[in-house]
Amino acid sequence: MNFGKSKSLYSEALNLMPGGVSSPVRAVKPHPFYTAFGKGSKIADVDGNEYIDYCMGYGPLILGHAHPAVKKAIEEQLEKGWLYGTPIELEVKYAKLITKLFPGIEMLRFVNTGSEATMAALRVARGFTGRNKIIKVEGSFHGAHDAVLVKAGSGATTHGIPNSAGIPADFVKHTLQVPYNDIEALADVIEKNNDIAAFILEPVMGNSALILPEKDYLKEVRNVTEENDVLLIFDEVITGFRVSPGGAQEYYGIKPDLTTLGKIAGGGLPIGIFGGKKEIMENVAPSGNVYQAGTFSGNPLSLTAGYTTVKFLMENGYDYINSITKELADGIRDQIAGSNLGNEVGSIASMFCIYFGKTPKNYSDSLKLDGKKFIEFFWKLLEEGVFFPPSQYETCFVSFAHSREDIEKTIEAVGTCLRKL
Ligand SMILES: Cc1ncc(COP(=O)(O)O)c(C=O)c1O
């Protein structure tokens, strides 16, 4: 395969940007490919190679690349300008739609990234309860800010720095950790600490490979937090609009106190949202004294792309995307049966993951997966014209633009690569 132009760009980039990239997970070794354009289910690089894409911008592009309806809406907004610094009508319309869809969101604020959303949600939880400590799950990823970069998943784990340098120990002493799918551990930490503002978790973990909640885990989480007066924050930056229109909270029937959204909510443009019960959200400035603000918050382009995407989802439902994902996961399972590698496959809605090892239940299980073998597989798969996110700890995403032909090709390609390893 020819990667000449990508390699040359990367060698220049290494001198200009840390690790040559704008976000660590993109720094695949020995070099990433540089994208020229994306269209539908495909992404093409600067050397003319084309791939069926299951990274989909790490989740936001649920309709595929350059979806015509989203493109048209963005173009129409462009004609009217793209930043005002004043409220716009669409903010009200979109907020109304989101509060209708998400059981746990009565009031919300638009911000610019998922990181910003979780940072603000934690501040609101602390401001509302007057308490300092938070609990997170080992291996979860809630963005790149101080309070949550402890045993953090995603790129932090891929690059071997789950505990970031540069964060005062005095600060992260307020961040407690529990393993996922372990209700006793959560109850125990809550019992031993009386200063806990909130428990934040990804209801379905998508940053330490894909990890599904065991039966009743989320229900028990809701009970334990409620009984102990600890706020429950669902980080639905990945699962929001993905596992169902109302996210994992709708899918599993759980009502958190606060919710964070991002990714799909912006239809491929930068966005973050935090929201929750009115009595909590009313503590946010200017109606309350928990300060939060942003020049680009609620910007017209992100709202337009996001609103158009969500409208599409409401009108089309999830049957197609979920059924092709199931066909893909089942097809891959059949291919695995013909290899000696002992892989397993996890999936939910339009998310899936091929494990190089046993299906994980928590972060320590995920750390036992064979990440090196995964990268060998990643490169072989690229040669077959299929692009997975370049880490065992990431989740693959299917879009509405994927065709049944894409799915069949991918099943074949995965089988070929697994047999070659
Ligand atoms: C669950 C979750 N929360 C928060 C974030 C941070 O979002 P952003 O990258 O938009 O800051 C991510 C990013 O991948 C995520 O997966």
Side-chain angles (χ1 to χ4, degrees):
M1 250 179 134
N2 175 20
F3 286 115
K5 204 161 169 200
S6 279
K7 281 185 188 165
S8 144
L9 284 167
Y10 191 52
S11 68
E12 271 192 278
L14 283 169
N15 285 319
L16 299 166
M17 291 169 271
V21 289
S22 300
S23 189
V25 75
R26 300 177 199 172
V28 55
K29 289 196 171 72
H31 61 84
F33 67 77
Y34 279 68
T35 298
F37 64 89
K39 193 163 187 337
S41 62
K42 311 271 177 16
I43 191 166
D45 71 18
V46 290
D47 291 294
N49 305 301
E50 191 180 272
Y51 315 97
I52 304 171
D53 184 6
Y54 292 96
C55 181
M56 283 294 157
Y58 290 91
L61 300 171
I62 194 167
L63 306 189
H65 291 278
H67 188 275
V70 181
K71 184 167 169 271
K72 182 164 169 276
I74 293 174
E75 281 168 355
E76 282 169 13
Q77 179 57 50
L78 277 175
E79 285 300 316
K80 300 184 245 171
W82 43 88
L83 187 66
Y84 310 128
T86 71
I88 58 170
E89 187 177 349
L90 186 55
E91 257 173 304
V92 182
K93 247 165 98 174
Y94 198 8
K96 239 192 236 169
L97 178 59
I98 293 168
T99 53
K100 214 165 86 188
L101 292 175
F102 284 80
I105 305 184
E106 295 169 5
M107 187 179 256
L108 61 83
R109 172 153 295 168
F110 292 106
V111 292
N112 301 287
T113 62
S115 300
E116 217 186 309
T118 60
M119 184 170 71
L122 290 169
R123 186 180 303 144
V124 178
R126 285 170 158 149
F128 177 72
T129 58
R131 300 183 210 130
N132 289 320
K133 289 197 168 62
I134 56 152
I135 309 174
K136 77 176 270 294
V137 167
E138 294 169 357
S140 66
F141 184 69
H142 303 292
H145 59 91
D146 290 0
V148 290
L149 282 180
V150 208
K151 282 203 186 173
S154 190
T157 289
T158 302
H159 290 279
I161 37 174
N163 304 305
S164 173
I167 301 174
D170 256 4
F171 190 38
V172 285
K173 75 179 183 203
H174 295 301
T175 302
L176 311 175
Q177 306 264 352
V178 292
Y180 188 62
N181 276 327
D182 186 341
I183 196 67
E184 276 85 28
L186 178 67
D188 193 48
V189 168
I190 291 178
E191 196 192 316
K192 291 190 175 127
N193 294 276
N194 58 6
D195 189 26
I196 297 171
F199 176 42
I200 183 167
L201 83 164
E202 299 171 68
V204 172
M205 288 187 75
N207 287 292
S208 286
L210 173 64
I211 316 181
L212 302 181
E214 290 183 329
K215 192 172 173 297
D216 293 336
Y217 173 64
L218 295 174
K219 228 177 249 165
E220 288 164 352
V221 162
R222 179 63 283 188
N223 291 341
V224 167
T225 48
E226 207 156 58
E227 281 159 16
N228 291 281
D229 201 19
V230 167
L231 296 184
L232 176 61
I233 308 176
F234 267 17
D235 180 354
E236 299 230 40
V237 166
I238 289 180
T239 51
F241 306 109
R242 170 68 66 180
V243 299
S244 80
Q249 53 196 266
E250 181 193 352
Y251 190 94
Y252 291 105
I254 312 282
K255 201 165 157 183
D257 301 296
L258 288 166
T259 300
T260 54
L261 301 171
K263 299 203 189 247
I264 293 172
L269 294 186
I271 205 165
I273 296 167
F274 66 100
K277 288 186 178 150
K278 218 175 201 167
E279 60 164 328
I280 303 174
M281 287 302 290
E282 275 176 343
N283 288 271
V284 178
S287 56
N289 59 4
V290 175
Y291 201 70
Q292 194 289 324
T295 301
F296 297 106
S297 295
N299 81 79
L301 286 183
S302 296
L303 292 190
T304 299
Y307 184 76
T308 309
T309 300
V310 173
K311 276 284 182 195
F312 177 100
L313 296 172
M314 304 310 306
E315 282 156 22
N316 289 272
Y318 287 71
D319 288 353
Y320 175 71
I321 191 172
N322 291 354
S323 71
I324 58 170
T325 308
K326 186 173 180 316
E327 282 167 30
L328 179 58
D330 288 345
I332 294 174
R333 285 187 190 103
D334 290 346
Q335 295 291 334
I336 285 168
S339 85
N340 296 320
L341 292 164
N343 298 85
E344 292 185 4
V345 180
S347 69
I348 178 171
S350 51
M351 300 162 69
F352 73 96
C353 185
I354 304 182
Y355 309 116
F356 280 74
K358 296 270 168 240
T359 303
K361 285 203 306 198
N362 55 34
Y363 185 53
S364 53
D365 286 352
S366 287
L367 292 178
K368 290 181 202 137
L369 298 171
D370 193 340
K372 280 199 185 120
K373 202 51 127 201
F374 180 92
I375 286 297
E376 273 181 56
F377 170 71
F378 164 84
W379 280 105
K380 291 210 182 318
L381 207 51
L382 269 192
E383 281 175 30
E384 296 292 326
V386 177
F387 172 45
F388 274 20
S391 165
Q392 172 71 91
Y393 304 113
E394 302 293 335
T395 294
C396 295
F397 298 101
V398 177
S399 80
F400 278 86
H402 285 83
S403 64
R404 287 215 147 76
E405 196 191 336
D406 289 331
I407 299 298
E408 275 162 32
K409 267 194 196 158
T410 305
I411 294 168
E412 276 302 304
V414 166
T416 305
C417 295
L418 289 179
R419 284 188 293 275
K420 273 191 199 159
L421 285 173

